[in-house]
Protein backbone atom coordinates (compact mmCIF):
# COMPACT_ATOMS: atom_id res chain seq x y z
CA UNK A 1 0.00 0.00 0.00
CA UNK A 2 1.44 3.33 -1.01
CA UNK A 3 0.84 6.78 0.33
CA UNK A 4 -0.40 8.12 -3.02
CA UNK A 5 -2.95 5.30 -3.37
CA UNK A 6 -4.38 6.22 -0.01
CA UNK A 7 -4.39 9.91 -0.95
CA UNK A 8 -6.36 9.10 -4.11
CA UNK A 9 -8.81 6.99 -2.14
CA UNK A 10 -9.35 9.72 0.46
CA UNK A 11 -9.98 12.24 -2.31
CA UNK A 12 -12.40 9.85 -3.97
CA UNK A 13 -14.21 9.24 -0.68
CA UNK A 14 -14.66 13.00 -0.37
CA UNK A 15 -15.78 13.76 -3.94
CA UNK A 16 -17.40 10.41 -4.84
CA UNK A 17 -16.45 11.28 -8.40
CA UNK A 18 -13.47 9.80 -10.30
CA UNK A 19 -12.99 12.84 -12.56
CA UNK A 20 -13.07 15.37 -9.73
CA UNK A 21 -10.88 13.22 -7.50
CA UNK A 22 -8.31 12.89 -10.31
CA UNK A 23 -8.34 16.67 -10.77
CA UNK A 24 -7.94 17.25 -7.04
CA UNK A 25 -4.96 14.87 -6.97
CA UNK A 26 -3.51 16.34 -10.16
CA UNK A 27 -3.39 12.99 -12.01
CA UNK A 28 -5.16 11.50 -15.02
CA UNK A 29 -8.38 9.61 -14.40
CA UNK A 30 -6.97 6.27 -15.65
CA UNK A 31 -3.99 6.64 -13.30
CA UNK A 32 -6.32 7.26 -10.38
CA UNK A 33 -8.50 4.32 -11.37
CA UNK A 34 -5.47 2.00 -11.61
CA UNK A 35 -4.20 3.13 -8.21
CA UNK A 36 -7.59 2.48 -6.61
CA UNK A 37 -7.75 -0.97 -8.22
CA UNK A 38 -4.39 -1.85 -6.76
CA UNK A 39 -5.43 -0.59 -3.35
CA UNK A 40 -8.55 -2.76 -3.63
CA UNK A 41 -6.39 -5.80 -4.43
CA UNK A 42 -4.40 -5.05 -1.35
CA UNK A 43 -7.27 -4.60 1.09
CA UNK A 44 -8.99 -7.67 -0.35
CA UNK A 45 -12.18 -6.23 -1.80
CA UNK A 46 -13.87 -3.33 -3.59
CA UNK A 47 -13.81 0.03 -1.81
CA UNK A 48 -16.33 1.70 -4.12
CA UNK A 49 -19.47 0.83 -6.06
CA UNK A 50 -18.97 2.13 -9.57
CA UNK A 51 -22.34 2.72 -11.18
CA UNK A 52 -23.06 4.97 -14.12
CA UNK A 53 -24.25 7.99 -12.22
CA UNK A 54 -23.32 7.00 -8.76
CA UNK A 55 -20.05 6.32 -7.01
CA UNK A 56 -20.43 5.17 -3.43
CA UNK A 57 -18.25 3.68 -0.77
CA UNK A 58 -18.81 -0.01 -0.14
CA UNK A 59 -19.15 -1.28 3.39
CA UNK A 60 -15.44 -2.11 3.30
CA UNK A 61 -14.65 1.38 2.02
CA UNK A 62 -16.65 2.93 4.82
CA UNK A 63 -15.07 0.68 7.42
CA UNK A 64 -11.54 1.46 6.22
CA UNK A 65 -11.99 5.18 5.68
CA UNK A 66 -11.25 6.32 9.26
CA UNK A 67 -8.20 4.05 9.52
CA UNK A 68 -6.78 5.10 6.17
CA UNK A 69 -7.39 8.73 7.15
CA UNK A 70 -5.59 8.23 10.45
CA UNK A 71 -2.66 6.33 8.93
CA UNK A 72 -2.34 8.84 6.08
CA UNK A 73 -2.39 11.81 8.46
CA UNK A 74 0.15 10.11 10.71
CA UNK A 75 2.43 9.31 7.77
CA UNK A 76 2.15 12.82 6.31
CA UNK A 77 2.87 14.41 9.65
CA UNK A 78 5.64 12.01 10.73
CA UNK A 79 8.57 13.47 8.81
CA UNK A 80 7.40 17.00 9.49
CA UNK A 81 7.13 16.29 13.22
CA UNK A 82 10.55 14.68 13.37
CA UNK A 83 11.97 17.86 11.79
CA UNK A 84 9.96 20.15 14.08
CA UNK A 85 11.58 18.56 17.12
CA UNK A 86 14.94 19.81 16.00
CA UNK A 87 13.82 23.41 15.68
CA UNK A 88 13.16 25.28 18.85
CA UNK A 89 9.71 26.44 17.83
CA UNK A 90 6.88 26.46 20.34
CA UNK A 91 5.29 23.06 20.88
CA UNK A 92 2.30 23.55 23.14
CA UNK A 93 0.29 20.72 24.67
CA UNK A 94 -3.02 21.64 26.30
CA UNK A 95 -3.78 18.52 28.24
CA UNK A 96 -6.85 17.58 30.22
CA UNK A 97 -6.75 14.98 33.00
CA UNK A 98 -9.76 13.20 34.45
CA UNK A 99 -10.46 14.41 38.00
CA UNK A 100 -9.93 10.98 39.55
CA UNK A 101 -6.58 10.35 37.84
CA UNK A 102 -3.22 11.13 39.38
CA UNK A 103 -0.94 13.37 37.31
CA UNK A 104 1.75 10.90 38.39
CA UNK A 105 0.58 8.79 35.41
CA UNK A 106 1.98 11.43 33.08
CA UNK A 107 5.40 11.89 34.64
CA UNK A 108 7.62 9.66 32.43
CA UNK A 109 5.96 10.96 29.27
CA UNK A 110 6.18 14.62 30.30
CA UNK A 111 9.81 14.19 31.30
CA UNK A 112 10.65 12.72 27.90
CA UNK A 113 8.84 15.57 26.09
CA UNK A 114 10.66 18.19 28.17
CA UNK A 115 14.02 16.57 27.43
CA UNK A 116 13.46 16.07 23.73
CA UNK A 117 11.24 18.93 22.61
CA UNK A 118 12.94 22.27 23.00
CA UNK A 119 9.82 24.42 22.72
CA UNK A 120 7.57 22.16 24.78
CA UNK A 121 4.91 24.09 26.74
CA UNK A 122 2.40 22.27 28.93
CA UNK A 123 -0.96 23.55 30.07
CA UNK A 124 -2.45 20.88 32.34
CA UNK A 125 -5.98 21.07 33.69
CA UNK A 126 -8.50 18.66 35.14
CA UNK A 127 -12.17 17.98 34.69
CA UNK A 128 -14.92 15.39 34.43
CA UNK A 129 -15.47 13.46 31.17
CA UNK A 130 -18.24 15.75 29.87
CA UNK A 131 -16.16 18.86 30.40
CA UNK A 132 -13.01 17.35 28.88
CA UNK A 133 -14.91 16.14 25.80
CA UNK A 134 -16.53 19.57 25.33
CA UNK A 135 -13.11 21.20 25.48
CA UNK A 136 -11.59 18.72 23.03
CA UNK A 137 -14.44 19.44 20.64
CA UNK A 138 -14.21 23.24 20.92
CA UNK A 139 -10.44 23.10 20.45
CA UNK A 140 -9.38 24.46 23.84
CA UNK A 141 -7.76 21.10 24.68
CA UNK A 142 -5.41 19.10 22.43
CA UNK A 143 -5.66 15.79 24.27
CA UNK A 144 -7.18 14.32 27.41
CA UNK A 145 -6.46 11.31 29.60
CA UNK A 146 -9.54 10.09 31.38
CA UNK A 147 -11.65 7.19 32.59
CA UNK A 148 -13.61 5.66 29.71
CA UNK A 149 -17.22 6.79 30.06
CA UNK A 150 -20.26 5.04 28.57
CA UNK A 151 -20.49 7.41 25.63
CA UNK A 152 -17.74 9.13 23.66
CA UNK A 153 -18.61 11.77 21.03
CA UNK A 154 -18.13 10.48 17.48
CA UNK A 155 -15.82 13.29 16.43
CA UNK A 156 -13.26 12.27 19.03
CA UNK A 157 -10.56 9.65 18.53
CA UNK A 158 -9.83 7.55 21.57
CA UNK A 159 -7.35 4.84 22.39
CA UNK A 160 -7.29 2.47 25.37
CA UNK A 161 -4.26 2.78 27.67
CA UNK A 162 -4.81 0.39 30.58
CA UNK A 163 -7.31 -1.05 33.02
CA UNK A 164 -7.07 -0.56 36.74
CA UNK A 165 -8.98 -1.96 39.67
CA UNK A 166 -11.19 -0.06 42.02
CA UNK A 167 -9.95 -0.34 45.59
CA UNK A 168 -11.36 0.23 49.04
CA UNK A 169 -9.16 2.53 51.11
CA UNK A 170 -9.10 2.36 54.90
CA UNK A 171 -6.74 2.97 57.82
CA UNK A 172 -4.17 0.15 58.34
CA UNK A 173 -5.85 -1.03 61.57
CA UNK A 174 -9.29 -1.39 59.93
CA UNK A 175 -10.61 -5.00 59.72
CA UNK A 176 -10.86 -4.73 55.90
CA UNK A 177 -7.09 -4.14 55.72
CA UNK A 178 -6.63 -7.81 56.64
CA UNK A 179 -8.24 -8.98 53.38
CA UNK A 180 -6.35 -9.42 50.09
CA UNK A 181 -9.46 -8.67 48.12
CA UNK A 182 -12.78 -7.31 49.32
CA UNK A 183 -16.03 -8.91 48.12
CA UNK A 184 -18.84 -6.35 47.82
CA UNK A 185 -20.95 -8.33 50.31
CA UNK A 186 -18.32 -7.85 53.01
CA UNK A 187 -18.71 -4.08 52.70
CA UNK A 188 -22.30 -4.41 53.88
CA UNK A 189 -21.64 -3.28 57.41
CA UNK A 190 -19.68 -0.21 56.35
CA UNK A 191 -20.58 3.10 54.80
CA UNK A 192 -18.49 4.90 52.21
CA UNK A 193 -17.38 8.52 52.28
CA UNK A 194 -19.19 10.59 49.67
CA UNK A 195 -17.65 12.74 46.96
CA UNK A 196 -19.62 15.95 46.48
CA UNK A 197 -18.28 16.51 42.94
CA UNK A 198 -20.99 15.85 40.34
CA UNK A 199 -20.27 13.28 37.60
CA UNK A 200 -17.38 11.64 39.48
CA UNK A 201 -16.71 8.21 37.96
CA UNK A 202 -15.63 6.67 41.27
CA UNK A 203 -18.77 7.92 42.99
CA UNK A 204 -20.92 6.52 40.17
CA UNK A 205 -19.06 3.22 40.20
CA UNK A 206 -19.48 3.05 43.97
CA UNK A 207 -23.23 3.47 43.68
CA UNK A 208 -23.47 0.97 40.83
CA UNK A 209 -21.22 -1.71 42.29
CA UNK A 210 -22.46 -1.58 45.84
CA UNK A 211 -26.13 -0.77 45.20
CA UNK A 212 -28.34 -2.18 47.92
CA UNK A 213 -25.34 -3.36 49.96
CA UNK A 214 -23.44 -0.30 51.01
CA UNK A 215 -24.61 3.01 52.39
CA UNK A 216 -23.01 6.23 51.21
CA UNK A 217 -22.24 8.16 54.41
CA UNK A 218 -23.93 11.56 54.21
CA UNK A 219 -22.25 12.96 57.31
CA UNK A 220 -18.81 13.46 55.76
CA UNK A 221 -18.31 14.78 52.26
CA UNK A 222 -15.20 15.74 50.32
CA UNK A 223 -14.87 17.31 46.89
CA UNK A 224 -11.49 16.27 45.53
CA UNK A 225 -9.69 12.94 45.54
CA UNK A 226 -7.11 14.38 47.94
CA UNK A 227 -9.92 15.39 50.33
CA UNK A 228 -11.33 11.87 50.37
CA UNK A 229 -7.91 10.20 50.80
CA UNK A 230 -6.96 12.50 53.68
CA UNK A 231 -10.38 12.03 55.32
CA UNK A 232 -9.75 8.27 55.32
CA UNK A 233 -6.29 8.92 56.84
CA UNK A 234 -8.00 11.00 59.54
CA UNK A 235 -10.24 8.05 60.37
CA UNK A 236 -13.51 9.66 59.20
CA UNK A 237 -14.44 6.52 57.28
CA UNK A 238 -13.54 4.27 54.36
CA UNK A 239 -13.91 5.11 50.69
CA UNK A 240 -13.75 3.75 47.19
CA UNK A 241 -10.70 4.78 45.16
CA UNK A 242 -8.63 3.54 42.21
CA UNK A 243 -5.50 1.42 42.19
CA UNK A 244 -3.06 3.89 40.61
CA UNK A 245 -4.05 6.92 42.67
CA UNK A 246 -1.23 8.00 44.95
CA UNK A 247 -2.30 7.40 48.55
CA UNK A 248 -1.12 9.39 51.56
CA UNK A 249 0.58 7.70 54.52
CA UNK A 250 -1.88 6.08 56.92
CA UNK A 251 -4.10 4.71 54.17
CA UNK A 252 -4.09 1.18 52.76
CA UNK A 253 -5.81 0.10 49.55
CA UNK A 254 -7.42 -3.31 48.98
CA UNK A 255 -8.95 -4.26 45.60
CA UNK A 256 -12.72 -4.50 45.38
CA UNK A 257 -13.62 -7.86 43.79
CA UNK A 258 -14.59 -7.72 40.12
CA UNK A 259 -14.48 -3.95 39.76
CA UNK A 260 -12.27 -2.11 37.29
CA UNK A 261 -12.18 0.90 35.00
CA UNK A 262 -10.45 1.62 31.72
CA UNK A 263 -8.23 4.64 31.13
CA UNK A 264 -8.17 6.15 27.63
CA UNK A 265 -6.45 8.98 25.83
CA UNK A 266 -8.59 11.05 23.50
CA UNK A 267 -8.06 13.77 20.88
CA UNK A 268 -10.25 15.44 18.27
CA UNK A 269 -10.43 13.53 14.97
CA UNK A 270 -9.33 15.10 11.71
CA UNK A 271 -7.36 17.92 13.29
CA UNK A 272 -3.63 18.17 12.51
CA UNK A 273 -1.46 17.72 15.59
CA UNK A 274 1.58 19.82 16.41
CA UNK A 275 4.79 18.00 17.37
CA UNK A 276 4.07 18.21 21.12
CA UNK A 277 0.61 16.67 20.79
CA UNK A 278 1.68 14.01 18.27
CA UNK A 279 4.63 12.90 20.39
CA UNK A 280 2.50 12.85 23.53
CA UNK A 281 -0.12 10.61 21.89
CA UNK A 282 2.51 8.25 20.49
CA UNK A 283 4.37 7.95 23.78
CA UNK A 284 1.20 7.34 25.79
CA UNK A 285 -0.07 4.70 23.35
CA UNK A 286 3.27 2.96 23.05
CA UNK A 287 3.93 2.92 26.78
CA UNK A 288 4.04 -0.40 28.60
CA UNK A 289 1.41 0.31 31.24
CA UNK A 290 1.85 -3.12 32.83
CA UNK A 291 5.14 -1.91 34.30
CA UNK A 292 4.59 0.35 37.33
CA UNK A 293 6.35 3.72 37.06
CA UNK A 294 9.56 4.10 39.07
CA UNK A 295 8.98 4.82 42.76
CA UNK A 296 9.16 8.48 43.79
CA UNK A 297 12.54 9.69 45.04
CA UNK A 298 12.59 9.46 48.86
CA UNK A 299 12.26 12.69 50.78
CA UNK A 300 15.67 14.22 51.56
CA UNK A 301 16.77 14.57 55.14
CA UNK A 302 16.01 18.30 55.43
CA UNK A 303 17.64 18.69 58.87
CA UNK A 304 20.93 17.54 57.35
CA UNK A 305 20.51 19.58 54.16
CA UNK A 306 19.95 22.77 56.18
CA UNK A 307 22.88 22.13 58.50
CA UNK A 308 25.31 21.71 55.58
CA UNK B 1 22.57 -22.92 10.00
CA UNK B 2 21.32 -19.93 7.97
CA UNK B 3 18.19 -18.04 8.96
CA UNK B 4 16.54 -19.44 5.84
CA UNK B 5 17.09 -23.02 7.06
CA UNK B 6 15.54 -22.19 10.42
CA UNK B 7 12.53 -20.47 8.80
CA UNK B 8 12.09 -23.44 6.45
CA UNK B 9 11.95 -25.71 9.47
CA UNK B 10 9.21 -23.58 11.08
CA UNK B 11 7.30 -23.63 7.80
CA UNK B 12 7.62 -27.39 7.49
CA UNK B 13 6.13 -27.78 10.97
CA UNK B 14 3.34 -25.29 10.22
CA UNK B 15 2.45 -27.09 6.98
CA UNK B 16 1.00 -29.94 9.03
CA UNK B 17 -1.98 -27.66 9.72
CA UNK B 18 -4.07 -27.40 6.53
CA UNK B 19 -5.93 -24.31 7.68
CA UNK B 20 -2.73 -22.45 8.46
CA UNK B 21 -1.30 -23.36 5.08
CA UNK B 22 -4.47 -22.26 3.26
CA UNK B 23 -4.36 -18.88 5.03
CA UNK B 24 -0.66 -18.57 4.21
CA UNK B 25 -1.13 -19.33 0.53
CA UNK B 26 -4.14 -17.01 0.21
CA UNK B 27 -2.24 -14.16 1.85
CA UNK B 28 0.86 -14.51 -0.30
CA UNK B 29 -1.28 -14.76 -3.45
CA UNK B 30 -3.29 -11.66 -2.55
CA UNK B 31 -0.18 -9.59 -1.83
CA UNK B 32 1.41 -10.86 -5.03
CA UNK B 33 -1.61 -9.75 -7.07
CA UNK B 34 -1.55 -6.37 -5.38
CA UNK B 35 2.18 -6.06 -6.20
CA UNK B 36 2.76 -5.01 -2.62
CA UNK B 37 6.48 -5.68 -2.78
CA UNK B 38 6.93 -3.45 -5.82
CA UNK B 39 5.26 -0.51 -4.10
CA UNK B 40 7.79 -0.52 -1.26
CA UNK B 41 10.80 1.80 -1.13
CA UNK B 42 13.80 0.60 -3.14
CA UNK B 43 17.55 0.95 -3.32
CA UNK B 44 18.37 4.57 -4.15
CA UNK B 45 15.25 5.99 -2.47
CA UNK B 46 15.61 8.33 0.50
CA UNK B 47 14.46 6.99 3.85
CA UNK B 48 11.59 9.01 5.33
CA UNK B 49 12.56 10.61 8.64
CA UNK B 50 10.85 9.25 11.74
CA UNK B 51 10.38 9.83 15.46
CA UNK B 52 9.10 6.77 17.32
CA UNK B 53 8.83 5.58 20.94
CA UNK B 54 11.08 2.75 22.08
CA UNK B 55 10.30 0.09 24.68
CA UNK B 56 11.49 2.36 27.52
CA UNK B 57 9.15 5.19 26.59
CA UNK B 58 11.92 7.28 25.03
CA UNK B 59 11.72 8.87 21.60
CA UNK B 60 14.11 7.66 18.90
CA UNK B 61 14.86 9.95 15.95
CA UNK B 62 16.07 8.61 12.61
CA UNK B 63 18.38 11.58 12.04
CA UNK B 64 20.14 10.99 15.36
CA UNK B 65 20.71 7.37 14.36
CA UNK B 66 22.06 8.40 10.95
CA UNK B 67 24.43 10.88 12.57
CA UNK B 68 26.14 7.90 14.21
CA UNK B 69 26.34 5.70 11.11
CA UNK B 70 24.32 3.54 8.70
CA UNK B 71 21.01 2.21 10.01
CA UNK B 72 19.41 -1.20 9.55
CA UNK B 73 15.61 -0.83 9.60
CA UNK B 74 13.72 -4.07 10.07
CA UNK B 75 9.91 -4.14 9.84
CA UNK B 76 8.26 -7.03 11.66
CA UNK B 77 4.66 -7.96 12.25
CA UNK B 78 4.74 -8.74 15.95
CA UNK B 79 5.96 -11.51 18.23
CA UNK B 80 2.78 -13.47 17.54
CA UNK B 81 4.53 -14.40 14.28
CA UNK B 82 7.11 -17.19 14.79
CA UNK B 83 9.03 -16.18 11.65
CA UNK B 84 9.35 -12.66 13.05
CA UNK B 85 10.65 -13.76 16.45
CA UNK B 86 13.12 -16.15 14.84
CA UNK B 87 14.37 -13.30 12.64
CA UNK B 88 14.60 -10.91 15.60
CA UNK B 89 16.73 -13.47 17.43
CA UNK B 90 18.95 -14.04 14.39
CA UNK B 91 19.48 -10.28 14.20
CA UNK B 92 20.41 -10.22 17.90
CA UNK B 93 22.98 -12.94 17.22
CA UNK B 94 24.36 -10.85 14.35
CA UNK B 95 24.36 -7.63 16.40
CA UNK B 96 28.08 -7.69 17.30
CA UNK B 97 28.96 -7.99 13.62
CA UNK B 98 26.43 -5.28 12.67
CA UNK B 99 27.94 -2.98 15.30
CA UNK B 100 31.51 -3.83 14.24
CA UNK B 101 30.58 -2.79 10.71
CA UNK B 102 29.38 0.57 12.12
CA UNK B 103 25.68 -0.19 11.76
CA UNK B 104 22.80 0.43 14.14
CA UNK B 105 19.78 -1.80 14.20
CA UNK B 106 16.17 -0.83 14.85
CA UNK B 107 13.11 -3.05 14.48
CA UNK B 108 9.70 -1.48 13.86
CA UNK B 109 6.35 -3.09 14.68
CA UNK B 110 2.78 -1.76 14.69
CA UNK B 111 2.38 -3.29 18.17
CA UNK B 112 1.91 -0.79 20.99
CA UNK B 113 1.93 -0.78 24.79
CA UNK B 114 2.98 -3.84 26.71
CA UNK B 115 3.20 -5.98 23.58
CA UNK B 116 6.23 -4.50 21.89
CA UNK B 117 8.04 -3.91 25.17
CA UNK B 118 7.38 -7.56 26.07
CA UNK B 119 8.88 -8.68 22.74
CA UNK B 120 12.16 -7.05 23.68
CA UNK B 121 12.20 -8.52 27.18
CA UNK B 122 11.05 -12.01 26.23
CA UNK B 123 13.68 -12.50 23.53
CA UNK B 124 16.41 -10.56 25.35
CA UNK B 125 16.94 -8.17 22.46
CA UNK B 126 19.49 -5.46 23.10
CA UNK B 127 18.73 -3.34 20.02
CA UNK B 128 15.88 -0.86 19.79
CA UNK B 129 12.35 -2.06 19.17
CA UNK B 130 10.21 0.87 18.05
CA UNK B 131 6.44 1.12 18.10
CA UNK B 132 5.27 2.35 14.68
CA UNK B 133 2.01 3.69 16.10
CA UNK B 134 -0.78 3.57 13.45
CA UNK B 135 1.77 2.35 10.89
CA UNK B 136 2.83 5.90 10.02
CA UNK B 137 6.37 4.91 9.05
CA UNK B 138 5.37 1.59 7.46
CA UNK B 139 3.00 3.46 5.20
CA UNK B 140 5.75 5.85 4.13
CA UNK B 141 7.97 2.89 3.30
CA UNK B 142 5.06 1.39 1.34
CA UNK B 143 5.23 -1.91 3.23
CA UNK B 144 1.83 -1.79 4.94
CA UNK B 145 -1.12 -3.97 3.95
CA UNK B 146 -4.45 -4.96 5.43
CA UNK B 147 -4.75 -8.40 7.01
CA UNK B 148 -7.26 -10.42 4.94
CA UNK B 149 -10.26 -12.14 6.51
CA UNK B 150 -8.83 -15.66 6.34
CA UNK B 151 -5.66 -14.64 8.18
CA UNK B 152 -7.71 -12.78 10.77
CA UNK B 153 -9.79 -15.85 11.47
CA UNK B 154 -6.65 -17.90 11.86
CA UNK B 155 -5.12 -15.34 14.24
CA UNK B 156 -8.32 -15.18 16.26
CA UNK B 157 -8.04 -18.96 16.63
CA UNK B 158 -4.61 -18.44 18.21
CA UNK B 159 -6.03 -15.72 20.47
CA UNK B 160 -4.11 -12.96 18.65
CA UNK B 161 -6.08 -9.72 18.55
CA UNK B 162 -4.25 -7.20 16.39
CA UNK B 163 -6.78 -4.46 17.18
CA UNK B 164 -5.85 -4.74 20.82
CA UNK B 165 -2.14 -4.96 20.07
CA UNK B 166 -2.17 -1.97 17.71
CA UNK B 167 -4.57 0.20 19.69
CA UNK B 168 -6.67 0.62 16.52
CA UNK B 169 -8.87 -1.76 14.55
CA UNK B 170 -7.50 -1.01 11.09
CA UNK B 171 -5.69 -4.41 10.88
CA UNK B 172 -2.72 -3.04 8.97
CA UNK B 173 0.59 -4.83 9.25
CA UNK B 174 3.85 -4.60 7.30
CA UNK B 175 5.14 -7.18 4.87
CA UNK B 176 8.42 -8.18 6.50
CA UNK B 177 11.12 -5.90 5.14
CA UNK B 178 14.73 -5.06 5.91
CA UNK B 179 16.60 -1.99 4.77
CA UNK B 180 20.15 -0.75 5.10
CA UNK B 181 20.31 3.04 4.95
CA UNK B 182 23.61 4.89 4.54
CA UNK B 183 24.60 7.94 6.60
CA UNK B 184 23.19 10.20 3.91
CA UNK B 185 19.75 8.65 4.45
CA UNK B 186 19.79 6.77 1.12
CA UNK B 187 18.60 3.16 0.99
CA UNK B 188 21.50 0.92 -0.10
CA UNK B 189 19.89 -2.48 0.46
CA UNK B 190 16.22 -3.47 0.45
CA UNK B 191 14.69 -6.87 1.14
CA UNK B 192 10.91 -7.00 0.77
CA UNK B 193 9.04 -10.25 0.26
CA UNK B 194 5.28 -10.74 0.46
CA UNK B 195 6.04 -14.30 1.56
CA UNK B 196 6.41 -13.74 5.29
CA UNK B 197 8.43 -16.95 5.68
CA UNK B 198 11.26 -15.33 3.69
CA UNK B 199 13.54 -12.84 5.43
CA UNK B 200 16.78 -11.01 4.80
CA UNK B 201 19.82 -13.04 5.85
CA UNK B 202 21.73 -11.24 8.62
CA UNK B 203 24.93 -12.17 6.73
CA UNK B 204 23.73 -10.16 3.72
CA UNK B 205 22.97 -7.16 5.94
CA UNK B 206 26.41 -7.33 7.51
CA UNK B 207 28.02 -7.59 4.05
CA UNK B 208 26.21 -4.43 2.89
CA UNK B 209 27.33 -2.57 6.02
CA UNK B 210 30.90 -3.75 5.42
CA UNK B 211 30.78 -2.45 1.85
CA UNK B 212 29.55 0.94 3.09
CA UNK B 213 32.57 1.18 5.36
CA UNK B 214 34.92 0.88 2.41
Amino acid sequence: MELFQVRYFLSLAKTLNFRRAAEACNVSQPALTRAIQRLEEEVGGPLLYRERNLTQLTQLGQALLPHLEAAYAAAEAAAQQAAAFKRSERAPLRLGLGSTLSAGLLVPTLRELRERLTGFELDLSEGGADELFARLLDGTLDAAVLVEPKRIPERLNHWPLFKERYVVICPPDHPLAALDEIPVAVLGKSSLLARSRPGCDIEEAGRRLTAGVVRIDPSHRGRSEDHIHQMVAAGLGIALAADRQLMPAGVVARPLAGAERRIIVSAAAGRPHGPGVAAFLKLMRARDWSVPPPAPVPRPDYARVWKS
Amino acid sequence: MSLKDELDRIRAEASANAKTMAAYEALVAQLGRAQTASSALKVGDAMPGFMLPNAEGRLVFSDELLAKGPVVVNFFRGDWCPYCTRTLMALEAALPRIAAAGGQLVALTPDTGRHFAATRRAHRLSYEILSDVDGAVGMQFGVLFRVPELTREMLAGFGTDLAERHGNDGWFIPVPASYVVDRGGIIRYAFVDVDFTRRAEPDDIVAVLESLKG
Side-chain angles (χ1 to χ4, degrees):
Chain A
M1 185 158 66
E2 283 188 85
L3 215 47
F4 74 86
Q5 298 170 328
V6 178
R7 189 173 81 235
Y8 294 177
F9 170 68
L10 295 179
S11 176
L12 200 46
K14 206 157 98 185
T15 58
L16 294 176
N17 180 306
F18 277 80
R19 186 179 50 79
R20 276 198 305 233
E23 277 168 17
C25 296
N26 212 6
V27 289
S28 71
Q29 199 175 320
L32 181 113
T33 305
R34 268 199 310 278
I36 296 295
Q37 281 166 350
R38 276 200 34 207
L39 187 59
E40 288 177 325
E41 287 277 2
E42 204 136 4
V43 299
L47 294 164
L48 296 120
Y49 295 116
R50 300 163 173 84
E51 283 157 28
R52 197 172 301 162
N53 296 318
L54 191 67
T55 302
Q56 263 189 327
L57 291 183
T58 61
Q59 215 172 2
L60 178 64
Q62 279 171 17
L64 280 185
L65 182 59
H67 302 296
L68 289 171
E69 263 173 350
Y72 181 76
E76 278 285 276
Q80 208 183 327
Q81 283 156 358
F85 259 67
K86 301 297 153 183
R87 301 189 293 267
S88 45
E89 61 193 42
R90 287 185 59 225
L93 170 64
R94 296 164 304 169
L95 180 61
L97 185 65
S99 303
T100 61
L101 295 179
S102 163
L105 292 175
L106 306 170
V107 170
T109 304
L110 296 179
R111 185 183 292 133
E112 180 64 8
L113 290 173
R114 194 202 70 81
E115 277 178 25
R116 302 292 275 162
L117 190 49
T118 321
F120 181 56
E121 294 174 5
L122 176 70
D123 180 350
L124 181 61
S125 56
E126 65 154 62
D130 291 342
E131 184 194 346
L132 295 177
F133 286 155
R135 294 182 58 204
L136 286 172
L137 288 170
D138 73 17
T140 55
L141 275 184
D142 299 310
V145 178
L146 68 160
V147 177
E148 183 177 46
K150 277 197 207 79
R151 273 193 210 89
I152 301 174
E154 262 182 32
R155 281 182 297 140
L156 295 180
N157 284 329
H158 55 93
W159 301 274
L161 296 180
F162 62 89
K163 282 181 182 166
E164 70 174 333
R165 302 186 72 172
Y166 284 111
V167 294
V168 175
I169 55 172
C170 60
D173 55 357
H174 193 280
L176 289 176
L179 300 176
D180 289 333
E181 189 183 68
I182 301 177
V184 174
V186 171
L187 282 176
K189 295 191 191 90
S190 336
S191 59
L192 294 171
L193 291 177
R195 286 166 173 83
S196 54
R197 195 175 62 248
C200 169
D201 72 279
I202 296 183
E203 195 68 15
E204 282 169 8
R207 288 177 198 283
R208 190 179 67 242
L209 293 165
T210 65
V213 182
V214 184
R215 206 164 60 91
I216 304 287
D217 182 358
S219 52
H220 304 296
R221 288 155 64 83
R223 188 163 177 86
S224 74
E225 293 307 296
D226 185 45
H227 297 170
I228 294 291
H229 301 164
Q230 300 294 352
M231 286 160 69
V232 171
L236 296 183
I238 65 168
L240 202 61
D243 197 20
R244 294 204 188 198
Q245 290 181 324
L246 296 177
M247 291 301 156
V251 170
V252 299
R254 296 289 179 261
L256 182 64
E260 60 180 18
R261 63 182 189 171
R262 188 144 87 151
I263 312 302
I264 59 170
V265 60
S266 180
R271 204 174 288 161
H273 297 310
V277 183
F280 174 77
L281 292 173
K282 269 189 206 171
L283 283 169
M284 291 294 276
R285 291 177 60 196
R287 200 159 127 192
D288 181 1
W289 293 95
S290 65
V291 177
V297 179
R299 191 194 298 267
D301 180 351
Y302 286 113
R304 229 180 52 208
V305 172
W306 287 329
K307 253 187 248 165
S308 62
Chain B
M1 191 157 67
S2 70
L3 177 59
K4 182 178 177 299
D5 294 336
E6 296 183 57
L7 298 176
D8 283 346
R9 209 189 55 219
I10 300 175
R11 188 161 70 166
E13 282 165 19
S15 65
N17 183 329
K19 208 173 161 190
T20 306
M21 276 324 268
Y24 159 72
E25 278 159 15
L27 176 63
V28 173
Q30 180 183 325
L31 295 178
R33 277 197 306 277
Q35 297 169 293
T36 302
S38 67
S39 71
L41 291 185
K42 293 171 187 62
V43 170
D45 288 335
M47 175 180 76
F50 60 77
M51 164 196 82
L52 293 173
N54 72 5
E56 275 83 48
R58 311 295 305 258
L59 289 167
V60 173
F61 291 79
S62 55
D63 62 344
E64 289 180 2
L65 296 171
L66 289 173
K68 286 184 252 166
V71 178
V72 179
V73 180
N74 177 59
F75 284 94
F76 72 102
R77 314 188 310 164
D79 72 347
W80 50 268
C81 159
Y83 304 95
C84 290
T85 48
R86 194 62 219 116
T87 304
L88 292 174
M89 288 156 75
L91 286 168
E92 177 69 25
L95 194 58
R97 288 187 297 141
I98 290 174
Q104 303 155 87
L105 173 61
V106 292
L108 274 60
T109 171
D111 279 353
T112 59
R114 64 191 167 88
H115 297 291
F116 87 106
T119 302
R120 192 160 185 262
R121 278 195 305 271
H123 304 290
R124 295 204 182 85
L125 306 175
S126 50
Y127 52 88
E128 294 279 19
I129 304 285
L130 306 179
S131 175
D132 185 13
V133 182
D134 290 337
V137 178
M139 186 173 269
Q140 285 178 292
F141 272 81
V143 296
L144 228 51
F145 71 97
R146 186 157 180 273
V147 180
E149 202 57 52
L150 199 56
T151 311
R152 277 200 235 185
E153 279 169 24
M154 192 196 71
L155 289 176
F158 294 132
T160 301
D161 179 358
L162 294 190
E164 195 263 327
R165 297 180 75 104
H166 297 172
N168 71 56
D169 54 3
W171 291 81
F172 292 109
I173 57 173
V175 288
S178 296
Y179 290 92
V180 179
V181 184
D182 70 17
R183 294 189 73 155
I186 302 300
I187 294 170
R188 302 290 289 267
Y189 168 86
F191 180 98
V192 184
D193 198 325
V194 294
D195 180 345
F196 56 85
T197 70
R198 298 273 165 261
R199 307 291 169 116
E201 279 298 329
D203 284 352
D204 295 347
I205 290 171
V206 171
V208 176
L209 287 168
E210 293 282 356
S211 76
L212 290 178
K213 257 170 101 178

